[in-house]
C-alpha cells in the first residue's frame, strides 16, 4: 500500500503515517515494496509470528502431557494456517499400537477433528466457504446445511470427532481455542479405531479438562 492509501484507511494525516511507517521500517516490520510504490509487511513480522507460535506450544505442553497421561493416547497441538492444520507439538501415547504424526505435517480441515473444531471458531459463512473450497479441491461430497449443523453440534459439545473420516483405522476427538495473538489452535487425541469405542468416554472427559486448563493458562497470560 502507498502512504496515501494507508492514511485513508486509518484516518491519519499523511505526515503522521510517514513518521510511523519510517519507525516500522527501522524495525523491519515494514519494507519498501520492490514491485512498485508503497510498503509491504517486513520479515520481522514472521519472527514475531514464530515467537507467538512457540509460546503457545510452550504454554500448552503441560496440558498435552497431562492429556496423554490421563488417556494413554497421543496428544497433538496444531494451528490453523490458511486452509490447513499444521502440527506444532505432540506427546506420544504409551500404547504399543498408537498414532503418530510428524511436527510440521499439514492436515485438512474438513475431515479431521482438529480441523472441524477450528472451523467452528470462525464466523459461519467463512467456515462454510473454507469447507466448500476444500471439498471442491479434494473432490469430497459436501452439503452446506449438514456441515453447518455439524458445526453447531461441535460448538455445543465443545469438541469435534473424526470417525475414520480422514484416515482408515484412526479416529480422533479434538477441541480448539484462540490464543493471545488471535490464532486458532486445536488439541486433539487420535486413537486407533480398534480401541476408540472403549476409550471414548475417558478421552471426552480428559478433553474437557484439557480445554478448561488451556482457558486458565490463556487467561493467566493475558492478566
Amino acid at each position: 500500500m502507498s502512504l496515501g492509501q494507508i492514511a485513508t484507511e486509518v484516518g491519519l494525516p499523511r505526515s503522521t503515517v510517514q513518521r510511523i511507517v519510517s519507525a516500522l521500517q527501522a524495525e523491519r516490520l515494514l519494507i519498501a515494496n520492490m514491485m512498485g510504490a508503497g510498503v509491504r509487511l517486513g520479515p520481522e513480522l514472521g519472527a514475531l509470528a514464530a515467537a507467538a507460535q512457540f509460546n503457545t506450544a510452550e504454554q500448552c505442553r503441560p496440558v498435552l502431557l497431562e492429556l496423554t497421561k490421563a488417556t494413554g493416547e497421543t496428544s497433538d497441538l496444531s494451528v490453523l494456517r490458511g486452509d490447513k492444520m499444521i502440527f506444532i507439538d505432540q506427546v506420544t501415547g504409551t500404547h504399543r499400537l498408537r498414532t503418530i504424526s510428524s511436527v510440521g505435517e499439514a492436515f485438512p480441515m474438513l475431515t479431521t477433528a482438529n480441523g472441524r473444531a477450528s472451523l467452528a471458531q470462525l464466523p459461519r459463512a467463512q467456515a462454510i466457504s473454507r469447507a466448500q473450497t476444500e471439498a471442491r479441491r479434494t473432490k469430497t461430497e459436501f452439503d452446506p446445511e449438514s456441515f453447518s449443523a455439524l458445526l453447531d453440534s461441535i460448538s455445543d459439545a465443545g469438541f469435534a470427532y473424526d470417525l475414520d473420516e480422514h484416515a482408515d483405522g484412526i479416529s480422533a476427538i479434538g477441541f480448539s481455542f484462540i490464543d493471545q495473538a488471535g490464532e486458532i489452535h486445536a488439541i486433539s487425541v487420535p486413537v486407533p479405531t480398534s480401541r476408540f469405542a472403549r476409550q471414548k468416554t475417558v478421552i471426552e472427559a480428559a478433553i474437557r479438562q484439557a480445554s478448561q486448563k488451556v482457558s486458565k493458562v490463556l487467561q493467566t497470560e493475558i492478566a
Side-chain angles (χ1 to χ4, degrees):
M1 299 179 70
S2 68
L3 295 182
Q5 289 172 323
I6 296 172
T8 299
E9 287 290 331
V10 300
L12 291 174
R14 183 188 172 97
S15 59
T16 301
V17 169
Q18 187 169 11
R19 288 196 300 272
I20 294 173
V21 166
S22 295
L24 293 174
Q25 284 181 309
E27 300 295 334
R28 289 175 56 80
L29 294 169
L30 291 177
I31 60 175
N33 183 10
M34 302 302 293
M35 302 302 293
V39 293
R40 61 185 177 86
L41 300 180
E44 286 303 314
L45 280 176
L48 285 176
Q53 174 178 307
F54 173 78
N55 288 337
T56 298
E58 186 178 70
Q59 292 161 4
C60 290
R61 184 70 179 183
V63 177
L64 295 183
L65 289 168
E66 291 183 21
L67 190 52
T68 292
K69 183 178 180 181
T71 63
E73 306 290 353
T74 297
S75 300
D76 296 312
L77 173 66
S78 56
V79 61
L80 179 62
R81 286 276 189 268
D83 61 351
K84 299 288 185 182
M85 299 301 301
I86 308 297
F87 279 54
I88 59 175
D89 198 10
Q90 181 180 83
V91 175
T92 305
T94 57
H95 294 278
R96 288 188 64 187
L97 178 62
R98 57 184 181 265
T99 60
I100 299 176
S101 299
S102 301
V103 171
E105 191 171 352
F107 282 78
M109 300 178 294
L110 187 57
T111 56
T112 59
N114 52 4
R116 290 170 172 176
S118 295
L119 284 172
Q121 293 278 3
L122 298 172
R124 186 55 46 86
Q126 184 179 348
I128 295 297
S129 176
R130 287 196 182 196
Q132 282 181 317
T133 299
E134 182 179 306
R136 285 194 296 268
R137 186 178 67 249
T138 59
K139 298 181 180 180
T140 302
E141 291 186 11
F142 182 78
D143 177 60
E145 291 186 6
S146 297
F147 195 74
S148 181
L150 175 63
L151 295 180
D152 285 338
S153 67
I154 292 170
S155 297
D156 292 341
F159 50 81
Y161 295 101
D162 162 14
L163 305 176
D164 280 311
E165 292 156 284
H166 171 61
D168 289 339
I170 298 177
S171 296
I173 305 177
F175 72 94
S176 63
F177 61 93
I178 300 175
D179 71 2
Q180 297 96 323
E183 290 194 309
I184 299 176
H185 290 71
I187 290 177
S188 55
V189 177
V191 184
T193 302
S194 58
R195 64 169 177 267
F196 182 75
R198 67 175 182 269
Q199 284 280 74
K200 181 173 177 286
T201 301
V202 172
I203 296 171
E204 287 175 347
I207 282 284
R208 289 190 182 96
Q209 291 183 351
S211 179
Q212 293 171 359
K213 289 173 183 174
V214 168
S215 295
K216 290 180 180 178
V217 167
L218 295 178
Q219 289 171 2
T220 300
E221 289 295 324
I222 292 173

